[in-house]
Amino acid sequence: MMYINNMKLTLQIKLLPSNEQAKSLLTTLKEANVACNQISDVIWQKKVFNQFKVHHLVYHNLKKATRLSAQILIRCISKVIDTYKLDKKVQRRFRPLGAITYDTRILSYNIGKQITSIWSVDGRLKIPFVCHNPKYFPYIKGEADLVYKKGKFYLFQTVEVPEDDVKDIEEFIGVDFGIINLATTSDGNKFSGKAVDNVRQKITKLKRALQKRGSKSAKRHLKKLSGKERRFKKNINHIISKQIVQLTKDTSKGIALENLKGFKVTVRKAQREQFGKWAFNELRNFIAYKAKLNGIPVVFVDPRNTSRTCSRCGHISKSNRKTQSKFVCVQCGFSLNADLNAAINIASRASVNKPIAVHPPVVMTPSLGTASHLL
Ligand SMILES: [Zn+2]
């Protein structure tokens, strides 16, 4: 069994600065990014990529030449060094208003009054803020990025949420992923992939037309399109995961998902191309983390043959799967929607495996393996 005690999430906090405060924040971002570019110049010219050496080369000059605090400068140095970690062959440039990182020495919160105290080149600023998830405030920990986006300032604050004690869960709701239904739960809820498919078809058509043109502006449009598609799927994943967690919340059941290793196997090639492997992984991760936040245990089970196994008699055969949507057992004749049959198998594997988490070992079916664990 593997337990993770804390979950790291990012809390989006919107700052509500006065005009003057906004100016100070902008100046701070600008000065920090100018410094980042200067650090990058030095790294590039001297071909020095080691934190300690770079610090030695740039820190004192920058401290003298800028109004940036020691803490911000140290953050800037690490930021620039990090960008060279992947590739040392291209010199890095930083956007004039790119995000900068704060830690507790230069940023604090008054939760009750909803005010942050944030360092700027013009001194500490007390800025009101809003946040839609105040329940996470007690868990604020570590760094935050100050981000300027479409004329607004945000803090992307790291929070570490402790995992609730695992409840004594007897039953699990299994979730199966597919294309016709992006998700099917073992208690019969279906989340259609139709909207996704319509948008995908539209986008594919557009993409083809643009690819044919091949012009510069066509390429720009293609890039925009793939961003749009990504955001659309992400939104769908948020909606579905939220609903599944909501539906489970009141049942005092846990959620069972297929573990990642076999996930690649079960989401077949054609399906991966339609919704995208990353999108299924994202959906799966969204369900897992939203469940955790609501104190719902999540169990990952061995995914082998979940779609070929009869959920009534346990018979495993390729020919059980008559069509994409229909399951008919060749042994006992049991027939059911194929996604639902798979979801029930996932749920029952969790129930079989689960007692190891809470009680001494009970029943273990050898073919199920011991791969299941609590996240
Ligand atoms: Zn059967």
Side-chain angles (χ1 to χ4, degrees):
M1 289 300 139
M2 188 174 77
Y3 294 92
I4 295 167
N5 295 320
N6 285 307
M7 240 192 324
K8 265 194 189 174
L9 300 171
T10 305
L11 195 56
Q12 187 171 308
I13 294 166
K14 188 177 174 187
L15 297 178
L16 306 169
S18 67
N19 287 342
E20 203 170 323
Q21 287 173 329
K23 246 186 237 165
S24 294
L25 290 179
L26 280 178
T27 317
T28 305
L29 284 178
K30 274 181 203 158
E31 284 201 23
N33 282 292
V34 167
C36 284
N37 280 324
Q38 286 169 349
I39 296 163
S40 183
D41 284 342
V42 172
I43 291 178
W44 185 247
Q45 279 157 20
K46 309 243 172 185
K47 301 287 176 217
V48 170
F49 301 97
N50 166 287
Q51 172 103 25
F52 179 78
K53 285 179 185 161
V54 173
H55 185 98
H56 187 74
L57 283 170
V58 300
Y59 181 81
H60 287 287
N61 286 340
L62 285 173
K63 191 79 192 73
K64 260 187 251 164
T66 69
R67 291 186 287 166
L68 299 170
S69 78
Q71 213 47 40
I72 291 276
L73 275 177
I74 290 167
R75 291 289 160 189
C76 287
I77 294 170
S78 336
K79 173 178 161 176
V80 181
I81 285 176
D82 279 348
T83 62
Y84 278 100
K85 275 184 183 151
L86 284 173
D87 175 7
K88 297 181 172 59
K89 292 190 185 91
V90 187
Q91 182 173 1
R92 297 295 191 278
R93 305 303 303 167
F94 295 87
R95 288 181 293 120
L97 296 173
I100 56 172
T101 307
Y102 280 78
D103 64 26
T104 49
R105 272 171 284 196
I106 43 182
L107 169 72
S108 59
Y109 298 90
N110 183 325
I111 301 301
K113 291 184 178 162
Q114 297 237 8
I115 289 175
T116 57
S117 166
I118 182 167
W119 184 89
S120 81
V121 287
D122 298 317
R124 280 267 183 170
L125 306 172
K126 301 238 184 292
I127 303 179
F129 66 83
V130 284
C131 179
H132 298 301
N133 294 298
K135 64 178 172 183
Y136 299 139
F137 284 153
Y139 308 118
I140 285 176
K141 205 171 184 181
E143 299 172 351
D145 283 338
L146 174 64
V147 176
Y148 183 66
K149 211 167 66 176
K150 292 180 183 165
K152 305 248 171 6
F153 290 95
Y154 299 90
L155 287 167
F156 287 178
Q157 172 67 54
T158 307
V159 290
E160 282 187 27
V161 184
E163 191 184 352
D164 277 340
D165 290 340
V166 176
K167 291 177 203 149
D168 196 350
I169 293 291
E170 298 296 332
E171 268 184 274
F172 287 81
I173 289 173
V175 185
D176 180 60
F177 300 110
I179 275 299
I180 298 175
N181 292 305
L182 288 180
T184 303
T185 65
S186 56
D187 54 355
N189 289 303
K190 290 189 176 92
F191 301 86
S192 169
K194 208 168 175 203
V196 172
D197 204 47
N198 288 343
V199 168
R200 183 191 61 85
Q201 279 178 16
K202 253 187 227 161
I203 286 179
T204 309
K205 240 187 225 168
L206 263 171
K207 268 185 184 166
R208 262 189 215 133
L210 287 168
Q211 271 157 355
K212 251 185 210 164
R213 262 202 272 161
S215 66
K216 238 187 177 173
S217 86
K219 272 181 193 155
R220 219 175 32 241
H221 273 102
L222 267 172
K223 216 176 152 190
K224 254 194 194 163
L225 260 183
S226 62
K228 216 176 186 178
E229 194 178 11
R230 195 167 281 266
R231 283 191 299 278
F232 173 75
K233 286 177 182 175
K234 190 175 184 177
N235 192 32
I236 292 271
N237 282 343
H238 268 304
I239 293 167
I240 295 177
S241 54
K242 199 175 168 184
Q243 285 176 347
I244 289 177
V245 168
Q246 207 60 42
L247 287 166
T248 312
K249 218 175 155 181
D250 307 320
T251 62
S252 73
K253 289 178 185 170
I255 289 179
L257 301 164
E258 291 177 317
N259 72 34
L260 193 57
K261 220 176 155 190
F263 197 55
K264 289 173 206 147
V265 183
T266 49
V267 181
R268 278 180 304 279
K269 198 165 164 264
Q271 304 189 340
R272 285 205 303 265
E273 274 161 14
Q274 279 187 39
F275 190 55
K277 202 180 91 197
W278 68 267
F280 278 116
N281 278 331
E282 186 182 70
L283 175 56
R284 187 177 161 282
N285 292 338
F286 280 2
I287 294 172
Y289 97 74
K290 281 176 194 177
K292 291 267 115 190
L293 282 176
N294 284 283
I296 299 168
V298 177
V299 172
F300 292 101
V301 304
D302 188 335
R304 268 173 294 171
N305 295 321
T306 47
S307 60
R308 292 174 182 173
T309 304
C310 173
S311 61
R312 188 165 81 179
C313 77
H315 181 69
I316 302 171
S317 167
K318 213 174 178 176
S319 39
N320 281 345
R321 191 81 179 251
K322 285 286 177 258
T323 61
Q324 179 62 34
S325 63
K326 199 166 170 116
F327 182 95
V328 182
C329 179
V330 291
Q331 180 139 311
C332 76
F334 180 67
S335 106
L336 193 66
N337 171 281
D339 294 335
L340 183 55
N341 179 67
I344 292 171
N345 284 330
I346 292 166
S348 59
R349 283 182 191 192
S351 299
V352 170
N353 279 345
K354 183 232 78 199
I356 329 161
V358 194
H359 311 294
V362 187
V363 194
M364 279 287 289
T365 311
S367 68
L368 298 179
T370 51
S372 130
H373 59 261
L374 292 163
L375 178 74

